[in-house]
Amino acid sequence: MARTLQQAGFETWCVGGAVRDALMGEAHLDWDLATAATPAQVRKLFRRTVPVGIEFGTIGVLDRDNVMHEVTTFRRDVKTDGRHAVVEFGASLDEDLARRDFTINAIAYDPLDHRLHDPFGGQIDLARRVVRAVGDAEARMREDRLRALRAIRFAARFRFEIEPDTWKAIVGSAPFLTRLSPERVKQELEKTMEQVLAPSTAFARWRDSGAFASVVPTLTHVSDETLRAVDALPRPGLAGRPLRKTLRIAALFSEAGGKEAERALRDLRFSNQDIANVSVLVDRWSRFAPSLTPSLAADVLPTDADLRRLAAGIGRMRVAAFVRLAAAHWSAGGGVSPAVVRRLYRRMITIAFREPIELADLAVDGDDLRSAGIATGPALGKILHALLQLVIDEPAANTRDALLGAARELAVPTDPA
């Protein structure tokens, strides 16, 4: 692809994250090109192209393996509103690199001559493990407010420091992050969850810079312990492990309470399914953790009846997620030993799936009660819930005869005298 462009007389370089990652010894299949060719010229040179961002000079070119690579014309910014830039073509490679965000992303590589072009010292910053803005840090943040969050993510992902002037510009940019769309903020949250092994360092910087106060006010004062709980949960990203994403998001919002978490996630344009899963889990944590934690900290497991009530309150299908979220918090805050957590998990799973904790588990249903002469109406529902509490306390009572007898007693009107 680069050879085709260069043989046609157009200066062409590999640019972006692939060059950075290759220099760091990390595999990267998403190689993009910057070229002197205009979008129209690129489309003439290649048979299979996609105009992925033609107004910004970007054409997607499919290689023989059907992998798409972005080929972008050298460009310079004419004006920007802090998120979207108006660009013009005809720039030089150095002008193109000068408009990029960080020095580690402003290194170009010639794949034919095998040489690097690094006008802003990106290789030095890679060696020093520093994220530094290209040129004037404040100007780079004004051009695109998303860069503040990207700098934080890169630093956390690679375990780099943020160069002082760049950090100062991030803090100065924080009040203006409200210009970012909720979808972009959500995307950065999710990328941080997926790409960073221990995202507490990133989210602490979101908090300390004022970014959370601007874009997720619910998390303005999120505690270090809660952020460490996020670290204690596995990194999401595997298609077969969707619960990992739910758990990390739930941990991040676990101080907020279910309703507040629901509002924040809705504002960030999360899916209805994500909102429901996370908000319910946060609600259950807020409701049940304060009473559960003290006994476990004393290495005492609650009684089976108490655990059945807990499982019933959490919901059978959410028990495993609840214990994993709780274990992350206990790991972050200390006080509950891993051995006790393992005992709790085993017992809770057994109770949730082998013992009666839901109305559907009862040996009788509404039809049985009506056949026994109990009238349809609100009282019947109350009786069923009373029977459930009975069998939660004593599972052996979950027989048809025992429950019908108990139902008849509950249905007898009490003497007001």
Side-chain angles (χ1 to χ4, degrees):
M1 199 174 296
R3 187 181 304 278
T4 299
L5 286 160
Q6 290 204 27
Q7 287 178 345
F10 301 112
E11 181 185 4
T12 301
W13 297 77
C14 294
V15 294
V19 178
R20 176 200 65 220
D21 289 355
L23 290 171
M24 295 178 67
E26 297 186 12
H28 200 307
L29 300 178
D30 188 17
W31 286 88
D32 297 329
L33 301 176
T35 182
T38 65
Q41 291 167 330
V42 172
R43 299 188 77 177
K44 284 183 179 179
L45 285 171
F46 297 98
R47 184 170 58 89
R48 297 191 300 162
T49 64
V50 181
V52 294
I54 195 167
E55 68 274 24
F56 301 111
T58 301
I59 300 295
V61 179
L62 294 166
D63 64 19
R64 64 187 62 183
D65 297 318
N66 285 322
V67 176
M68 189 173 75
H69 303 273
E70 292 188 355
V71 179
T72 303
T73 303
F74 294 154
R75 55 194 177 170
R76 65 175 69 85
D77 291 344
V78 177
K79 62 179 180 179
T80 177
D81 62 2
R83 184 65 195 101
H84 305 97
V86 176
V87 300
E88 66 178 13
F89 306 140
S92 66
L93 172 63
D94 281 0
E95 287 176 309
D96 186 83
L97 294 177
R99 66 179 297 278
R100 295 176 183 268
D101 49 10
F102 311 111
T103 61
I104 60 175
N105 296 332
I107 307 170
Y109 171 67
D110 183 336
L112 301 186
D113 291 342
H114 305 290
R115 59 194 175 101
L116 290 167
H117 185 65
D118 181 16
F120 301 105
Q123 293 174 88
I124 295 173
D125 287 337
L126 283 175
R128 292 176 176 172
R129 305 181 67 82
V130 167
V131 174
R132 178 166 59 92
V134 172
D136 184 338
E138 291 187 5
R140 297 292 83 74
M141 298 304 157
R142 285 196 302 271
E143 290 164 357
D144 185 350
R145 296 299 179 182
L146 188 63
R147 287 171 172 169
L149 303 184
R150 282 169 53 84
I152 290 171
R153 172 162 54 87
F154 286 140
R157 176 183 172 189
F158 301 127
R159 299 182 182 180
F160 283 14
E161 294 299 319
I162 298 177
E163 182 266 336
D165 285 345
T166 302
W167 174 251
K168 181 181 177 182
I170 290 170
V171 173
S173 188
F176 302 99
L177 296 182
T178 52
R179 297 182 183 180
L180 299 178
S181 70
E183 290 83 0
R184 284 294 186 184
V185 176
K186 170 183 177 289
Q187 186 179 56
E188 274 302 314
L189 278 173
E190 292 184 320
K191 282 185 176 181
T192 301
M193 294 288 194
E194 293 168 1
Q195 295 179 2
V196 181
L197 185 62
S200 64
T201 55
F203 293 136
R205 284 174 170 142
W206 281 50
R207 179 194 62 198
D208 297 344
S209 67
F212 269 146
S214 290
V215 295
V216 194
T218 298
L219 300 176
T220 297
H221 302 296
V222 63
S223 69
D224 287 339
E225 181 177 320
T226 290
L227 296 182
R228 290 195 299 271
V230 179
D231 289 352
L233 291 159
R235 185 168 59 181
L238 297 176
R241 301 289 181 89
L243 181 60
R244 290 184 174 187
K245 172 184 170 182
T246 300
L247 283 169
R248 274 198 162 182
I249 296 172
L252 183 62
F253 285 91
S254 56
E255 290 180 36
K259 291 295 185 183
E260 186 61 31
E262 179 181 352
R263 282 192 290 270
L265 294 174
R266 198 170 300 284
D267 288 343
L268 289 169
R269 308 295 192 268
F270 275 83
S271 70
N272 289 336
Q273 182 178 4
D274 284 340
I275 292 170
N277 290 338
V278 171
S279 61
V280 170
L281 194 52
V282 170
D283 174 74
R284 301 302 187 267
W285 165 254
S286 302
R287 286 169 53 190
F288 298 115
S291 59
L292 179 62
T293 302
S295 63
L296 296 178
D299 288 349
V300 176
L301 215 61
T303 66
D304 281 359
D306 285 338
L307 290 179
R308 283 191 290 272
R309 278 189 284 273
L310 177 61
I314 295 169
R316 170 171 286 136
M317 302 307 297
R318 294 188 176 93
V319 163
F322 173 87
V323 178
R324 287 175 180 148
L325 175 61
H329 269 281
W330 294 328
S331 172
V336 178
S337 73
V340 171
V341 174
R342 288 192 294 270
R343 286 168 52 205
L344 174 71
Y345 183 83
R346 288 194 295 267
R347 189 69 195 115
M348 287 286 288
I349 292 298
T350 299
I351 284 172
F353 290 96
R354 294 187 182 179
E355 299 189 20
I357 61 169
E358 296 181 352
L359 289 174
D361 301 329
L362 294 177
V364 297
D365 58 19
D367 289 339
D368 295 319
L369 298 190
R370 283 187 287 271
S371 297
I374 297 173
T376 299
L380 187 143
K382 292 179 180 179
I383 290 172
L384 282 171
H385 281 90
L387 295 179
L388 177 59
Q389 294 307 310
L390 173 66
V391 301
I392 285 175
D393 286 332
E394 183 49 66
N398 192 27
T399 66
R400 178 181 173 82
D401 289 343
L403 294 183
L404 287 178
R408 292 188 184 99
E409 291 182 10
L410 289 167
V412 173
T414 57
D415 186 348

